Amino acid sequence: MGDQKESLRKITHTLAMKNEEISNFICSLKQSLENLEANSNRVQDDLESEFSSLHAVLDEMKETMLTRIKQERASRTYELQNQLSSCSKALESSEELLELANQTLCSSETDGFTQAAKDIKDSVTMAPAFRLSLKAKASDNMSHLMVDFSQEREMLQSLKFLPVPATPEIQVSECQVCDNTITIVWTLPEPDNKIDHYILEHRRTNHEGPPRIREDYPWMVVEGIRETEHTLTGLRFDTRYMTFRVKACNKAVAGEFSEPVTLETHAFTFKLDSASAHQNLKVEDLSVEWDSSGGKVQEIRKEKNRTNSPMHSPARSALMSPKRAPTARPGRDRFTAESYTVLADTMIDAGQQYWEVKFDKESKAFAVGVALRSLGRFDQLGKSSASWCIHLNNWLQQSLTAKHNNKARTLDCPIPNSIGVYVSYDEGVLSFYNAKTKQLMHTFRTKFQQPVIPAFMVWNGSFSVVTGLQVPSVVQSGQRKNSNTSSSNASLT
């Protein structure tokens, strides 16, 4: 009995689920019918509007051409009427002279005949009839204003509904990802001269392949693209992949989106680990300010004890590459004494990485570099074998030095507003660049025995870090050129 009830419950549940599914489908069909009605009315109104516009254009052209015919007729009528009037007057004058001459010839009087004949001869010589042009000044032919609309009639008869644009295809092999820019290239199955523009959409993602049904990141839209390629600039790759899709649009309708493609945008991403910071450093995700009172100590300790710290959060673990791990300092306190240091929350144990740091040039002291996980809580950057850095000293005289293992070398270069840091872990290279000009400032060459961590120091100042940056191509090419040359770190090892 119990089994039968359970079986009946399952059947009932299945039937209820099916009923709910059918009910949802019915609602969807009703909504589709409503949408169909609304969309049909919309396209019908659009069609009537287009034909009204076409009629208006034809009416305007008709009025213009009729006006031209009327102007031409009026001009020629004026010329011919003037000529007709002149000819009529000349004919009337000539007939009067002719009648006078006939009367004189028929007269029997001889006394005044000679004078009369002379007067008539003079009048005939000066008569308007002999000064007239007997050629019409205007033609009565109006055939030059005839029209032939056979071609236009054929065009109008060939009017059709505007076709939906074909679906573009993104050419993955021609797309480029470099220098924090992405160039997307696509093609159409066949040329279409009615395409007005393209719409490109992109969004960040943490996985390869087409987008999933549910995504944390929204689509970003780029409209009005006229060419079959587009370059996105000024990007930060805070996730490893970006997904793209594109559709074509004509004057009236948009086509379907292309199949989404996902491009790898590998870049080094980290945050500052407040749990490692000296108590006088006020730490945000990517920025630090000097706080002489150390007023954030208690708050930071609370943050340190939270299990959902940035280092262990689900979002953080989703962003990490397989070769990166958090820089937890289990069982150790933060940096203290004169080690005004803070570390990143992500270590480097493979590959090439790059980040930039913008610092206050008025800081009394500032340093940027990398450190081993074994760096002591009292150790200052560059003053032990566990750290390498560039150090700004802003006391009596401003100076910039490269430091490692308590050895220093003064750098003969201008102090930049921001510094780019390049690490090639496998090759044991640590280079510092002017972030704006990409001019090389100094290179350490060593062999990292342990993973390294981005490390920073500031006293009476502030700085901010920019991550999610790819290694600039100019840096990569410069590293290849300098791979066989000796570095300036010989005295620092």
Side-chain angles (χ1 to χ4, degrees), residues 187-413:
T187 58
L188 290 172
E190 57 185 30
D192 185 350
N193 58 8
K194 294 188 179 297
I195 297 297
D196 179 69
H197 65 278
Y198 298 91
I199 295 177
L200 174 69
E201 292 189 349
H202 62 91
R203 68 177 170 190
R204 297 171 290 171
T205 182
N206 294 328
H207 61 87
E208 293 184 273
R212 296 172 181 169
I213 296 176
R214 294 182 179 180
E215 281 284 355
D216 294 331
Y217 301 109
W219 287 104
M220 307 300 291
V221 182
V222 182
E223 297 183 305
I225 302 172
R226 304 295 178 181
E227 305 296 331
T228 55
E229 66 175 59
H230 185 73
T231 299
L232 299 170
T233 60
L235 300 175
R236 276 198 200 176
F237 299 137
D238 52 355
T239 56
R240 187 175 176 184
Y241 298 98
M242 287 183 69
T243 299
F244 299 86
R245 63 184 186 182
V246 64
K247 64 181 177 181
C249 307
N250 54 35
K251 292 291 186 181
V253 66
E256 296 293 329
F257 273 111
S258 64
E259 285 295 323
V261 301
T262 302
L263 301 179
E264 184 173 4
T265 57
H266 177 70
F268 184 45
T269 304
F270 63 85
K271 293 181 180 179
L272 298 176
D273 181 11
S274 60
S276 71
H278 191 283
Q279 67 178 10
N280 289 115
L281 300 183
K282 181 181 177 181
V283 179
E284 299 296 338
D285 286 345
L286 289 170
S287 63
V288 171
E289 289 185 5
W290 169 263
D291 181 4
S292 59
S293 66
K296 303 287 286 185
V297 174
Q298 297 301 322
E299 181 180 336
I300 294 174
R301 282 178 179 169
K302 291 178 182 178
E303 291 290 333
K304 181 179 178 181
N305 293 328
R306 291 182 183 176
T307 56
N308 61 341
S309 66
M311 188 166 56
H312 298 99
S313 67
R316 187 68 202 158
S317 61
L319 295 178
M320 290 183 191
S321 71
K323 293 189 176 182
R324 282 192 268 174
T327 62
R329 297 162 63 86
R332 303 185 60 182
D333 294 330
R334 65 181 71 251
F335 290 101
T336 189
E338 295 184 0
S339 181
Y340 303 105
T341 303
V342 60
L343 302 178
D345 65 354
T346 305
M347 69 180 183
I348 302 170
D349 61 2
Q352 302 177 53
Q353 318 296 349
Y354 179 84
W355 65 96
E356 294 179 354
V357 55
K358 185 174 183 179
F359 57 94
D360 181 5
K361 293 173 71 173
E362 301 301 319
S363 301
K364 291 299 182 183
F366 170 77
V368 57
V370 299
L372 302 180
R373 298 180 68 179
S374 59
L375 185 68
R377 61 193 293 253
F378 294 98
D379 292 343
Q380 300 179 40
L381 291 186
K383 290 193 175 183
S384 73
S385 61
S387 60
W388 300 256
C389 72
I390 279 187
H391 183 273
L392 170 68
N393 186 353
N394 214 7
W395 277 96
L396 298 178
Q397 185 174 0
Q398 195 175 61
S399 64
L400 196 64
T401 56
K403 290 187 174 183
H404 171 63
N405 202 19
N406 209 24
K407 297 179 181 178
R409 168 168 291 194
T410 301
L411 303 182
D412 184 17
C413 63

Side-chain angles (χ1 to χ4, degrees), residues 179-180 266 352-354 422 469-476:
D179 295 329
N180 304 300
H266 177 70
Q352 302 177 53
Q353 318 296 349
Y354 179 84
Y422 166 83
L469 303 178
Q470 291 185 303
V471 179
S473 55
V474 64
V475 169
Q476 287 184 324

